[in-house]
Amino acid sequence: GFIGIQIIFISSIFNILFITYLSYFSTVLTFKSNLDPDNFTIPLITTSGDLIGPALVIIIFLLFFI
């Protein structure tokens, strides 16, 4: 019920912050390395989002609700 909504909300906030910082710094790093940010940043961001999203739900549940 309500605890599930809280878990999803908190983990979504952390996921958005993590993906935002990761995309910014990876874009700057690939641009400074004279690489195309589209070829490196987009796969990195999608893979991290797929891995970090469910992991954050589990971590938030374990940290705050047990």
Side-chain angles (χ1 to χ4, degrees):
F2 186 68
I3 292 176
I5 293 172
Q6 287 177 334
I7 293 171
I8 297 298
F9 182 72
I10 293 169
S11 63
S12 297
I13 289 172
F14 284 120
N15 196 9
I16 289 169
L17 291 174
F18 177 76
I19 294 296
T20 301
Y21 286 121
L22 181 66
S23 62
Y24 174 75
F25 289 116
S26 64
T27 303
V28 169
L29 184 67
T30 55
F31 187 74
K32 285 184 178 180
S33 301
N34 290 329
L35 299 170
D36 186 17
D38 289 338
N39 291 335
F40 292 95
T41 305
I42 292 173
L44 178 71
I45 297 305
T46 55
T47 303
S48 342
D50 290 342
L51 293 174
I52 296 298
L56 276 174
V57 171
I58 295 168
I59 291 168
I60 296 299
F61 176 75
L62 292 176
L63 286 177
F64 291 116
F65 296 102
I66 286 188

